[in-house]
Amino acid sequence: MSLRVYNTLARKKEKFVPREKGKVSMYVCGPTVYNYIHIGNARCYVAFDVIYRYLQHKGYDVTYVRNLTDIDDKIIKRANKEGLTTKEIADKYIKAFHKDMKNLGNRSSRIEPKATEHISEMIETINCLIRKGFAYEVDGDVFFEIQRFGDYGKLSGRTIEEMRAGERVDVDMKKRHPMDFALWKAAKSREPSWDSPWGKGRPGWHIECSVMSSKYLGMGFDIHGGGHDLIFPHHENEIAQAEACAGKVPFVKYWLHNGFVNIKEEKMAKSLGNVILVREILKEYDPNVLRMFFVSTHYRSPINYSEENLNAVASALERIKTVIHNINYLVESGAKTEQDDLGEKRFKEVVVGVESKFLEAMDDDFNTASALGVIFEFVKEMNFFLEKNQKNLSESAKCLLLEARDKLIGFMTVLGIELGVEKAVEELPDALIGIAEKIFGRTFEDKNEALKVLIEAREKARKDKDWAKADLIRDKLSAQYFVLKDTPQGCQIIFEGK
Ligand code: AMP
Ligand code: ZN
């Protein structure tokens, strides 16, 4: 089966055929950096991270672009409130955003353009739109004239009249039509501004995304994503700008939109004051639990945030971790015999067949909820086989269990739930690298690797009864807030943080 995606533009699922064989170009609207991100925003970035991971898993070379909106009314307001420059505000929240992304386990986008670094390209596009008769200037402001663009409304599926009824539109006497939108805003006092043919000013939000996406991905790129609320007006306007200027279609082949995170039946939104910040929730929950919560629902469906729902997925995740743990324990300690088939034939069929079931679920518009269904069915079979074989583990049963375990870990990695080291690298103390380098006398690339090697070495030292070495590693680690617990199933490491 090949990948099918729900395209908002077509209002149906379509076969995914990338513009260029083996390559995918993807743009996702990034944050406006004036505040910390909340769980609703996180859902969007996790949803597209899973899509990114899955496309990579299928072997595509994916160019993933996610922008940073670092100039906007909200940033200016915030800067004035805090007595900082807009750049200082943007830098502060970009740093926080990167930290949240890492802690959530999201892979970095390949390109992360900033709006303020693409002003000249935006001016060029606005000039093009004026030249072609799609835009007009009034007193230093430039507007896009929607009635000149025949396809306006094709993404949201609404007529101009319906859009007007659905939106609160500012009455602006400068505009030719109330739905015309700003491409360039004349500078007001105490606002950052750039020189342009229309005087000092700054770009509107919509022009940023169409200019930056087509600069890095060209016209007709594959996937454009964002939350459901961006369909109108943001993405509708992006299409109008890009297609009007280029004089050709399409700007984007597949438009993908994630559903909302709701809380108490309401959309989680900064403007409603009901947000829970990612940096707060991750103090209480493992990032994998939050990801599990997101992927347990299809990315387009709404999802209800509650502690109860998070706790439910936490225990589901525990079932997956436990089976991996039990396999590791049995494989290391289990008696090895050659003996009767204890359900091996049946289990082998399960292990061989599970991959195609997982792919089938994910190929159906990245249906992570069905994929998790496949995973839990697999875990059930793994537990069943483990139980049958735990007294007498044959060599072939052992291999089969390890193969099953690795497949399970692989599926979870596609969902971004990495079951190896539990904490994000960001949170591990830098001193880990120094400790590992001192003990092993070699250099280490990153903290994750250092931690892994330290843990394995301690396990090995304990097995070899080299207590001095085992204790040395434990002491060095606990000095860095890692608590080591020796359980019957082996060593468990809990990072308590500073
Ligand atoms: P914003 O900073 O409001 O532009 O949001 C950044 C991204 O998060 C956009 O793609 C939004 O559509 C998305 N988003 C905002 N709120 C929610 C929510 N409650 N649920 C899901 N996605 C959201
Ligand atoms: Zn955008």
Side-chain angles (χ1 to χ4, degrees), residues 52-80:
Y52 183 34
R53 284 169 179 265
Y54 186 61
L55 292 168
Q56 289 181 323
H57 181 75
K58 282 181 85 72
Y60 288 112
D61 173 12
V62 188
T63 304
Y64 178 19
V65 182
R66 190 184 55 217
N67 72 297
L68 293 165
T69 296
D70 60 347
I71 186 67
D72 175 87
D73 292 346
K74 293 171 190 152
I75 300 176
I76 295 170
K77 229 185 193 170
R78 184 95 194 192
N80 290 339

Side-chain angles (χ1 to χ4, degrees), residues 341-357 378 381-386 388-389 394-405 407 411:
D341 173 11
L342 294 172
E344 223 171 278
K345 189 162 169 280
R346 182 188 132 82
F347 187 55
K348 193 169 177 63
E349 276 166 21
V350 170
V351 177
V352 168
V354 68
E355 181 113 36
S356 62
K357 285 187 182 165
F378 189 42
E381 293 282 355
M382 286 164 86
N383 277 324
F384 187 62
F385 186 70
L386 253 176
K388 267 191 153 182
N389 287 267
S394 71
E395 203 53 42
S396 55
K398 178 177 127 180
C399 287
L400 206 48
L401 275 172
L402 289 178
E403 191 185 334
R405 179 201 64 182
K407 279 199 174 170
F411 298 153

Side-chain angles (χ1 to χ4, degrees), residues 15-172:
K15 188 171 177 205
F16 181 72
V17 185
R19 176 178 57 179
E20 211 179 321
K21 199 167 179 278
K23 293 190 173 174
V24 176
S25 39
M26 176 162 99
Y27 183 93
V28 173
C29 292
T32 302
V33 281
Y34 73 102
N35 211 334
Y36 298 111
I37 63 159
H38 58 76
I39 299 179
N41 308 134
R43 184 195 192 184
C44 169
Y45 304 126
V46 168
F48 286 98
D49 179 64
V50 172
I51 289 173
Y52 183 34
R53 284 169 179 265
Y54 186 61
L55 292 168
Q56 289 181 323
H57 181 75
K58 282 181 85 72
Y60 288 112
D61 173 12
V62 188
T63 304
Y64 178 19
V65 182
R66 190 184 55 217
N67 72 297
L68 293 165
T69 296
D70 60 347
I71 186 67
D72 175 87
D73 292 346
K74 293 171 190 152
I75 300 176
I76 295 170
K77 229 185 193 170
R78 184 95 194 192
N80 290 339
K81 198 172 149 203
E82 292 195 18
L84 296 170
T85 65
T86 49
K87 178 155 185 346
E88 283 165 334
I89 288 290
D91 287 348
K92 173 177 169 185
Y93 291 106
I94 287 172
K95 208 166 155 215
F97 175 70
H98 285 155
K99 192 166 178 197
D100 284 341
M101 289 298 100
K102 231 176 189 176
N103 287 341
L104 282 168
N106 285 340
R107 288 184 178 161
S108 309
S109 56
R110 198 177 285 181
I111 305 169
E112 196 177 51
K114 286 181 185 167
T116 54
E117 290 171 4
H118 295 79
I119 304 286
S120 61
E121 289 95 330
M122 293 178 210
I123 290 175
E124 221 171 273
T125 304
I126 298 170
N127 254 331
C128 161
L129 289 169
I130 294 176
R131 232 179 21 250
K132 292 192 171 184
F134 290 101
Y136 55 95
E137 185 245 346
V138 190
D139 303 335
D141 287 327
V142 183
F143 298 100
F144 187 94
E145 189 168 5
I146 54 155
Q147 283 175 307
R148 305 275 303 172
F149 184 68
D151 273 350
Y152 198 71
K154 70 176 171 183
L155 183 69
S156 51
R158 290 189 276 181
T159 62
I160 292 175
E161 285 320 305
E162 283 166 347
M163 291 173 206
R164 256 184 95 165
E167 293 291 311
R168 273 176 295 151
V169 183
D170 296 339
V171 181
D172 185 341

